């Protein structure tokens, strides 16, 4: 049911954290993986290659997802190298937290550019390939913060809420071509992004399951949405948050 053999997945922000785990889980289930991230000399994506079986195709591509033209170049290169694209996971994301009244314009722009425009760029450029797939999938990694808002994260919340709007609009546009588009809204997942946060006990108290999530918790949700089992699901947002954003 979760066999992705013969399919090609593009994962952005795949050098570490949740993106790296998504790339590994999709690969473990038979997909060929194009791993997109910033400059490979800063974060050598190629270092993860030994984690992949020798018989499984895997390739790293250097790209800043905010760059519209470079994203097109990379999208076309991936489709050429792998002979098509079936799955796109828009995962690259950053946070630049501050209270709204102290937030710099550059921090607002940077977060919107990576988290929202980056997803637009890759969706826009890969759609022509996804629509040729019999099982085209776009999976956007949003956040519960996009559903709930959060003091000190207006830029991040706006970008992640925007990503949900992008997901639902693209789901309606792409449905006629058989491409599903869904979002995942993780809660507190232990990665570099959350490593520096203070008062983690306070966060724990707010999570009904009383524990933080792991990258693999998000990756298995991606695997499900990428698989044939999810072929009748589109425009949906799946929370992976230990109950954090549950409505009463
Ligand atoms: P990390 O910071 O650990 O990893 C993010 C990856 O994205 C890094 O490899 C980073 O590269 C890359 N990246 C950043 N900017 C760009 C860019 N412009 N172009 C290409 N790649 C880029 O984050 P997480 O793994 O924690 O988060 C992954 C996604 O999950 C993000 O979208 C995040 O918002 C979302 N999320 C995370 C949660 C959490 O609790 N961790 C909760 C909810 C959502 P570099 O290292 O060079 O910056």
């Amino acid at each position: 049911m979760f066999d992705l053999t013969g399919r090609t997945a593009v994962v952005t922000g795949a050098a570490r954290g949740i993106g790296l785990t998504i790339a590994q889980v999709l690969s473990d289930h038979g997909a060929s993986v194009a791993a997109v991230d910033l400059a490979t000399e800063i974060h050598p994506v190629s270092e993860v290659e030994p984690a992949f079986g020798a018989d499984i195709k895997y390739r790293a591509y250097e790209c800043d997802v905010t760059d519209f033209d470079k994203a097109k170049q990379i999208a076309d290169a991936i489709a050429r190298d792998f002979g098509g694209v079936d799955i796109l996971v828009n995962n690259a994301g950053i946070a630049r937290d501050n209270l709204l009244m102290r937030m710099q314009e550059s921090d607002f722009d940077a977060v919107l550019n990576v988290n929202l425009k980056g997803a637009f760029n890759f969706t826009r450029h890969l759609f022509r390939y996804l629509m040729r797939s019999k099982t085209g999938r776009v999976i956007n990694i949003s956040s519960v913060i996009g559903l709930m808002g959060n003091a000190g994260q207006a830029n991040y919340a706006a970008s992640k809420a925007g990503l949900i709007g992008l997901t639902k609009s693209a789901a309606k546009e792409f449905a006629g071509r058989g491409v599903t588009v869904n979002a995942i809204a993780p809660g507190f997942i232990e990665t570099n992004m959350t490593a520096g946060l203070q008062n983690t006990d306070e966060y724990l108290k707010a999570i009904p399951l009383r524990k933080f999530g792991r990258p693999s918790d998000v990756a298995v949700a991606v695997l499900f949405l990428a698989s044939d089992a999810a072929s009748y699901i589109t425009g949906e947002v799946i929370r992976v948050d230990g109950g954090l954003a549950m409505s009463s």
Side-chain angles (χ1 to χ4, degrees):
M1 187 177 274
F2 296 139
D3 182 11
L4 301 178
T5 303
R7 297 184 201 171
T8 295
V10 178
V11 183
T12 69
R16 60 184 167 90
I18 294 169
L20 174 58
T21 305
I22 291 169
Q24 286 171 330
V25 166
L26 296 183
S27 173
D28 286 348
H29 286 79
S32 300
V33 175
V36 176
D37 210 288
L38 291 169
T40 48
E41 57 271 25
I42 302 168
H43 292 284
V45 189
S46 56
E47 275 183 12
V48 307
E49 282 190 70
F52 295 78
D55 54 334
I56 294 172
K57 279 187 280 166
Y58 171 85
R59 194 154 177 186
Y61 295 82
E62 181 184 322
C63 182
D64 179 341
V65 296
T66 67
D67 185 332
F68 185 81
D69 295 335
K70 180 73 188 257
K72 176 167 179 14
Q73 200 186 313
I74 295 296
D76 291 341
I78 291 170
R80 202 169 46 241
D81 293 350
F82 288 85
V85 174
D86 305 282
I87 301 157
L88 165 63
V89 184
N90 285 307
N91 165 81
I94 60 169
R96 298 277 187 276
D97 299 350
N98 213 335
L99 293 172
L100 190 67
M101 296 309 290
R102 292 192 197 139
M103 190 173 285
Q104 300 298 312
E105 182 186 13
S106 57
D107 286 338
F108 187 87
D109 289 347
V111 169
L112 267 289
N113 267 329
V114 177
N115 299 5
L116 185 53
K117 189 186 168 200
F120 162 74
N121 286 344
F122 269 84
T123 306
R124 166 81 171 74
H125 296 313
L126 282 174
F127 177 62
R128 76 186 62 186
Y129 304 108
L130 290 165
M131 66 184 236
R132 287 179 205 152
S133 166
K134 289 191 177 70
T135 54
R137 302 276 195 273
V138 179
I139 300 157
N140 294 323
I141 307 301
S142 177
S143 167
V144 291
I145 302 303
L147 301 170
M148 303 161 65
N150 197 24
Q153 291 199 294
N155 51 356
Y156 188 78
S159 71
K160 295 300 189 179
L163 200 48
I164 291 172
L166 180 72
T167 299
K168 292 184 178 182
S169 303
K172 289 182 177 178
E173 287 191 26
F174 296 178
R177 302 293 191 147
V179 177
T180 69
V181 188
N182 292 289
I184 292 171
F188 193 119
I189 308 294
E190 288 179 318
T191 67
N192 276 14
M193 187 177 270
T194 48
L197 291 178
Q198 310 289 315
N199 306 324
T200 46
D201 283 353
E202 290 303 309
Y203 288 104
L204 263 188
K205 277 186 205 152
I207 300 170
L209 284 179
R210 296 283 183 271
K211 59 180 180 182
F212 298 132
R214 295 158 302 162
S216 58
D217 294 319
V218 178
V220 293
V222 172
L223 173 64
F224 166 66
L225 287 174
S227 74
D228 290 345
S231 62
Y232 199 56
I233 299 175
T234 197
E236 186 54 276
V237 182
I238 298 181
R239 288 186 296 107
V240 180
D241 67 347
L244 175 62
M246 202 182 332
S247 53
S248 55

